[in-house]
Amino acid sequence: MSLERDWQNFITENVEERTIFTYIQGLEEVISNFKPRTMTEKRRLTLARQNLREVKRFARKMQNEVQMLHEKLSILEENVAGDD
């Protein structure tokens, strides 16, 4: 058993599980840990939170559209396979 090989397996395992929602969650955590010191920073953080909410909303919408397109594609492929 190699520690190097185990470490590489651990690293590559996490890479495969990343989605846009993983990145969004990471950004939410970074933003939530900021402590604004001025009113300008506070406004910027508020704007960043609003933008992140919009990004999350659009990401969910895109994910739903991709899922719907996958379903349509599988139906089309079944129809083509059935015609052969």
Side-chain angles (χ1 to χ4, degrees), residues 8-20 22-23:
Q8 287 300 322
N9 288 339
F10 175 75
I11 290 172
T12 57
E13 178 180 316
N14 288 336
V15 171
E16 295 171 7
E17 296 175 10
R18 290 185 183 163
T19 66
I20 190 168
T22 306
Y23 294 109

Side-chain angles (χ1 to χ4, degrees), residues 1-2 4 34 37 39 47 65-66:
M1 225 160 98
S2 167
E4 178 74 21
F34 273 109
R37 294 187 182 128
M39 285 303 292
L47 183 60
E65 289 177 6
V66 166

Side-chain angles (χ1 to χ4, degrees), residues 31 42-53:
I31 289 173
K42 187 175 183 177
R43 282 188 223 114
R44 286 182 181 158
L45 279 175
T46 301
L47 183 60
R49 284 186 185 103
Q50 290 172 351
N51 288 339
L52 201 54
R53 274 194 299 271

